[in-house]
Amino acid sequence: MLFRDIFHTGIRSIRHARMRSFLTILGIVIGISSVIVLMSVGTSAQALIVDQVQSIGSDLIFILPGATLSSRFSAPASAFGVVTKTLVQADVNALEREPSISAVVPAVYGQGTIAYGNNNAIISYQGVTANFFQVRNFKVASGRPFNTADVQGGNRVAVLGQNIAKTLFGNFDPVGKYVRIANTPLQVIGVLGKQGTGPGGVNQDDIALVPITVAQNQLIGINYFNFVTVQANPSYNMDFVKARVISDLRQDHGITDPTKDDFTVQTQQDALAILGSITSVMTVFLAAIASISLVVGGIGIMNIMLVSVVERTREIGLRKAVGATNRDILRQFLVESALLTLVGGVIGIAIGALIDVLAYLVLSAVLETGWVFALPASAIILGAGVSTAIGIVFGFYPARQAARKSPIEALHYE
Amino acid sequence: MLAIRGLKKVYRDEGDEGTTALDGLSFDIEKGEFVAIMGPSGSGKSTLLHILGFLDRPTGGEYVFNGKKMDELSDEDLARVRNREMGFVFQDFNLLGHATVAENVELPLLYSTDIEPADRRTLVERAVKAVGLEEKMRVEAGNLSGGQKQRVAIARALVMDPSVVFADEPTGNLDSKSGGAVMEILRELNKEGHTVILVTHETYTAEFANRILHIKDGLLEKDEKVLKQRETFFK
């Protein structure tokens, strides 16, 4: 029997029992649409995260003190608050001499109370050098950023994030006023523009920036750095620059055995790879849960196909009498259940896409950052393929039952 | 064209000694014959027809159809022979009710490996015309009268131009007028050269044939030549 004819026969019997066919494929529709929604939401979330990471600047290399243990996906101890004092000014000086590096921004992190008059708040502040603003693309909305003279002179100045400015000053302009951080008076010289949530969920409108010398010597009292950002010279390859950073630091720290590194160097690609793998795992995990309903749907298909085989016993007998082989009958029922589930899959994809559009409209209105609409082609192909496969897998047993009927018993079935 | 020797069929359920439907039948049927198999109900005549039509296998004895020994053929081979060389007409028509007349008649062509799809239409039209239903080609089979349904079934049996047509009580569900029309068509087919093998329990239906095999208790009771074949259904 030609496939075209089998196909026609299948379409005919599905159309003949429209209501039943629809109810039969409902499980598949629900399963496929949830898989589609989860896959596309996962993709969108991934795109959003990647976008945020990339907004930091794709030419940056991050240095953390302390070694990274075991795999490349783990973070150094310093990331968990363990104090490591190995990154110092000598390292920064060495890196600044490197022609493949265009900027080096050391940073220290502190936490403390910021107060203005009776208003106060507990904040995270960063001590940074003047080139931080240009390297990290932080703009001031009013006033000015601090400059090299402020840093070198240890001037007691601060640039506030939008939210802190609002908390302490309400609608007044803080520029020129004095705030106290860790009981040290600092003059506010600028307020940052709106930065939004950065990678890792830190709201960058909640931080205050002070010259690194002030933070090290007056606020915290340390002489090492918590973090160093390196901006690569655009004419050099990132991997090369990363290698240069590592070799400079090893030389500076007198390390000959790479396993004894007391620092961790990560590029933005490394960060993207980690985040990408996390979101992929999440997406696959959620899609796997959603696909449980596909199994349930498949069992429903098997059930209905078994009923259909019994109901059509006489038809099977007749087809055999006029020359259908067992294989013809097997194919006919397999194609029929595969068609059913494929239709279910297509409807599921359409409903999933619709939910995606709604999610896009709602999320892009709620989230300030851009939520991108994503309906990956892989999800569509997977949805159609999986649904057809379910039809073939769960349709096989009923189809074999049909094929095995003896023509004469089938013809005499009442 | 077909020959059976010592044909046996015993239906055996677990534990019991079995029911003997055919108890060692032997006869030949030549090409072009119109044979009626007669007998009371339970005589084994339907079982015999099913075996002759390759729908069922005997439990003993030999069956040779057009030079092919049945016990040497696989189920696939049987299906192919049924498709190419045999046509079936059943008592209760066995049409696909929601398919049109043309689609019902086309059914055997779909399972044929040597009919080109382009030729199907011509073959279907010829077969439907042969039973006089060309006006009803696009009508759903379920909407036809009993007599028309049986004529569709005959067209379906004819469409592959088989060497033999098996008819199992073809008039059993019909009034005498439509039954007569059906028998006349079968007689026409026989005149055109098709071998027709008919199962019936009605003498006046059997008399359309030129030979009547009387079966009783699974044995051939009488092999009777019909000297004057019946031409119409009415006395």
Side-chain angles (χ1 to χ4, degrees), chain A residues 71-88:
Chain A
S71 81
R72 59 187 277 254
F73 287 150
S74 62
S78 59
F80 304 110
V82 175
V83 176
T84 317
K85 303 179 179 181
T86 50
L87 277 183
V88 291

Side-chain angles (χ1 to χ4, degrees), chain A residues 141-188:
Chain A
S142 65
R144 63 170 183 89
F146 47 78
N147 54 32
T148 312
D150 292 320
V151 175
Q152 283 175 349
N155 292 346
R156 292 180 173 184
V157 293
V159 174
L160 302 184
Q162 283 240 323
N163 290 351
I164 294 177
K166 196 144 205 126
T167 307
L168 297 182
F169 294 92
N171 291 326
F172 295 100
D173 185 2
V175 175
K177 305 284 193 305
Y178 281 84
V179 294
R180 301 177 76 85
I181 297 179
N183 280 325
T184 306
L186 300 163
Q187 186 178 27
V188 178

